[in-house]
Amino acid sequence: MRAIILAAGYGSRFKSDKPKVIHPILGKPMLWYVVNTVKNAGIQDIGVVVGHKAEEVEKSLKEEDVKFFYQKNPKGGTADAVVSSIDFWRSYDGYVLIVNGDSPLVSSETLKQMQRYLLMVEEYEGFKLGGLILTTHLQDPTGYGRVVKASNDRILKIVEEKDASHEEKAITEVNSGVYIFYTPYLLNALFRIKPSKETGELYLTDVVSFIVENGHEVRSFMASDPLEVLGVNTRWDLAIAENLLRLKLIRFWAEKGITFHSPETVWIEPDVTLEEDVEIFPSAVLKGKSKIKKGSVIGEGSIVENSEIGVNVDIQPYSIVRNSKIDDGSTIGPFAHVREKSYVGEKSHIGNFVEVKKSKIGDRVNAKHLSYLGDTEVGDRVNIGAGVVIANFDGKRKHKSKIGDRAFVGSNSLLISPIKVGKLSYIAGGSVVSKDVPDGAMAVERAKLKIYEGKGEAKIKK
Ligand code: UD1
Ligand code: CA
């Protein structure tokens, strides 16, 4: 089977400069979901019809293996869009799946069931259906095309809301915008379509009555979940679609053995992977290609983006980890920030108000409070006291530093990069260190402390 995805329209109800179909849902363009669903239904050969701001739409799918077809007049209507891709399917003697690009909730399971249904009809009833249309009953069918059926339940036609009579508007069975047609029948019917009197558009839905007139049968296939048919026409539809996809994803992971506390507040994107016994707390945000391994905890309000979190890592509340890797058994936060290709080794603790940037931190390192570690390589079992700052920027350039295994960097010391602090060396609290410290040495840089007996009390009482 081949598939055509319609993505050329203006989407005027969306009120956007950006094409509707590339607006993001959980960090991916709306259209990506449709392409992905079609692929997961086992269809390799995919054509996407573009028109309005075509380059932007094509760019949004640059990583996908699809062919693009150009609709000259993006106001021509959905039938005109299908005509625009005619080279893709005209000579193909088989079924073609057509999906609206604004239907991100359709599932691949449903598409597979539809394909199976067609084969069953061929095998047990001995003929090819002209068309199979995904439909559902909606309490409020406003805005959707209505499926008009004869008393024997055969489809007669689809009528668009704008062209529907009073009685037709009362029909609650709606067209989802997902169709499978037998191409020779589609081809014949497509060129009989006349522009709508109301809008001047060529409606793809009009092929149905022509296929039926030509003596072929068109059947409806009921969506197992009515939410699957949601077409995204407005920003509010987008918000609803995003929410539904988010909950679907969370449910998927919950069934794989992940705990979500207050799942209604958790954000998770489609490329994130989670392992068993991961525990996610309220308002956590998991983005991009993040991977969270077994038994790790993501605390309240924390953000993990394009990062790998090892086994049994504890990301405490309100921490941010971006484009980095945290190894097994470490603790990050609360209120920590690890970013730009940083690595934190095993069983280390990056604590509150500590920022780690483009740095490699060894195993069993403690940097528990109020520090900045930038462009630095920190060995194993190093202690970074409260308030330690690596001054990596001289106003013009960034410099790199290195701190050896088991070094002790006392509170509030300032290390001026580039610098090398040796293994087992000891930096006294409050020191400004601007020279390398050899292995095993101690560095103290501090003005002499003076104590004047009685003078304090006298000053306070004066
Ligand atoms: C369409 C169906 C309607 C169905 C609904 C389901 C038609 C005539 N109507 O209505 O029966 O209930 O979807 O959501 O098909 N597009 C193009 N070129 C165009 C016009 C549209 O490529 O000239 C694309 C759009 O980018 C969009 C899709 O086709 O992805 C559907 O177009 P839209 O205008 O949203 O159709 P609806 O009015 O929602
Ligand atoms: Ca639509």
Side-chain angles (χ1 to χ4, degrees), residues 6 8-9 13 71 74 77-78 100-102 144-145 160 175-176 203 233:
L6 309 183
R13 287 165 281 182
Q71 184 184 5
T78 42
N100 284 350
D102 65 352
Y144 290 89
E160 289 306 301
N175 166 30
S176 66
Y203 294 154
N233 295 318

Side-chain angles (χ1 to χ4, degrees), residues 264-280:
E264 70 278 16
T265 66
V266 172
W267 177 276
I268 179 167
E269 295 185 353
D271 288 341
V272 171
T273 54
L274 306 170
E275 291 183 0
E276 246 163 68
D277 280 329
V278 162
E279 194 169 351
I280 316 269

Side-chain angles (χ1 to χ4, degrees), residues 240-251:
I240 291 168
E242 187 168 67
N243 213 29
L244 290 169
L245 282 163
R246 191 177 58 79
L247 287 171
K248 193 171 152 187
L249 211 51
I250 289 179
R251 187 171 175 188

Side-chain angles (χ1 to χ4, degrees), residues 379-413:
D380 296 337
R381 296 165 74 187
V382 169
N383 184 79
I384 306 283
V388 169
V389 168
I390 314 266
N392 60 331
F393 185 53
D394 61 12
K396 279 194 187 121
R397 292 200 303 130
K398 301 263 169 65
H399 301 280
K400 293 200 170 103
S401 285
K402 210 169 168 175
I403 301 173
D405 295 347
R406 295 183 67 187
F408 180 96
V409 184
S411 293
N412 230 29
S413 20

Side-chain angles (χ1 to χ4, degrees), residues 144-401:
Y144 290 89
R146 310 294 206 281
V147 180
V148 181
K149 286 179 165 172
S151 50
N152 63 1
D153 209 41
R154 292 279 154 85
I155 295 185
L156 296 174
K157 61 174 178 173
I158 294 175
V159 51
E160 289 306 301
E161 166 113 2
K162 283 178 189 151
D163 305 76
S165 67
H166 198 66
E167 293 75 42
E168 287 166 340
K169 274 188 188 147
I171 297 172
T172 57
E173 185 171 3
V174 301
N175 166 30
S176 66
V178 177
Y179 327 75
I180 299 178
F181 293 112
Y182 183 53
T183 39
Y185 302 166
L186 172 67
L187 189 66
N188 183 291
L190 201 55
F191 288 98
R192 294 177 60 188
I193 297 175
K194 300 270 173 316
S196 149
K197 285 190 194 73
E198 290 300 319
T199 61
E201 286 183 26
L202 295 164
Y203 294 154
L204 176 60
T205 44
D206 283 353
V207 295
V208 173
S209 63
F210 292 128
I211 292 175
V212 172
E213 271 176 33
N214 287 343
H216 308 296
E217 207 181 312
V218 177
R219 289 190 193 166
S220 58
F221 187 90
M222 198 63 69
S224 51
D225 180 355
L227 295 171
E228 275 192 48
V229 311
L230 179 80
V232 175
N233 295 318
T234 65
R235 304 271 181 162
W236 189 238
D237 294 336
L238 180 76
I240 291 168
E242 187 168 67
N243 213 29
L244 290 169
L245 282 163
R246 191 177 58 79
L247 287 171
K248 193 171 152 187
L249 211 51
I250 289 179
R251 187 171 175 188
F252 167 85
W253 286 115
E255 279 162 9
K256 290 222 180 291
I258 283 89
T259 297
F260 290 90
H261 299 284
S262 294
E264 70 278 16
T265 66
V266 172
W267 177 276
I268 179 167
E269 295 185 353
D271 288 341
V272 171
T273 54
L274 306 170
E275 291 183 0
E276 246 163 68
D277 280 329
V278 162
E279 194 169 351
I280 316 269
F281 280 85
S283 300
V285 175
L286 307 175
K287 303 178 76 163
K289 289 190 167 61
S290 292
K291 179 174 186 168
I292 323 274
K293 294 196 181 168
K294 264 189 168 199
S296 285
V297 173
I298 312 294
E300 291 86 342
S302 285
I303 302 173
V304 176
E305 181 171 4
N306 291 320
S307 295
E308 187 179 323
I309 309 295
V311 177
N312 292 328
V313 169
D314 186 6
I315 308 280
Q316 298 201 341
Y318 305 104
S319 297
I320 300 174
V321 180
R322 287 203 161 103
N323 306 313
S324 295
K325 181 175 171 181
I326 313 293
D327 222 324
D328 303 352
S330 281
T331 300
I332 307 293
F335 299 101
H337 188 186
V338 180
R339 63 188 182 98
E340 252 187 79
K341 293 190 191 131
S342 287
Y343 167 80
V344 176
E346 291 177 24
K347 297 196 173 124
S348 289
H349 187 174
I350 304 298
N352 37 193
F353 308 105
V354 175
E355 178 178 350
V356 178
K357 187 224 108 182
K358 229 184 199 173
S359 292
K360 180 173 181 290
I361 312 290
D363 299 339
R364 294 172 192 269
V365 170
N366 282 321
K368 293 197 178 188
H369 341 257
L370 304 153
S371 267
Y372 174 65
L373 305 171
D375 303 302
T376 299
E377 202 183 313
V378 178
D380 296 337
R381 296 165 74 187
V382 169
N383 184 79
I384 306 283
V388 169
V389 168
I390 314 266
N392 60 331
F393 185 53
D394 61 12
K396 279 194 187 121
R397 292 200 303 130
K398 301 263 169 65
H399 301 280
K400 293 200 170 103
S401 285

Side-chain angles (χ1 to χ4, degrees), residues 82-99:
V82 174
V83 170
S84 307
S85 67
I86 198 157
D87 292 340
F88 180 56
W89 56 270
R90 181 186 0 220
S91 55
Y92 179 60
D93 182 24
Y95 293 104
V96 61
L97 168 74
I98 302 178
V99 189

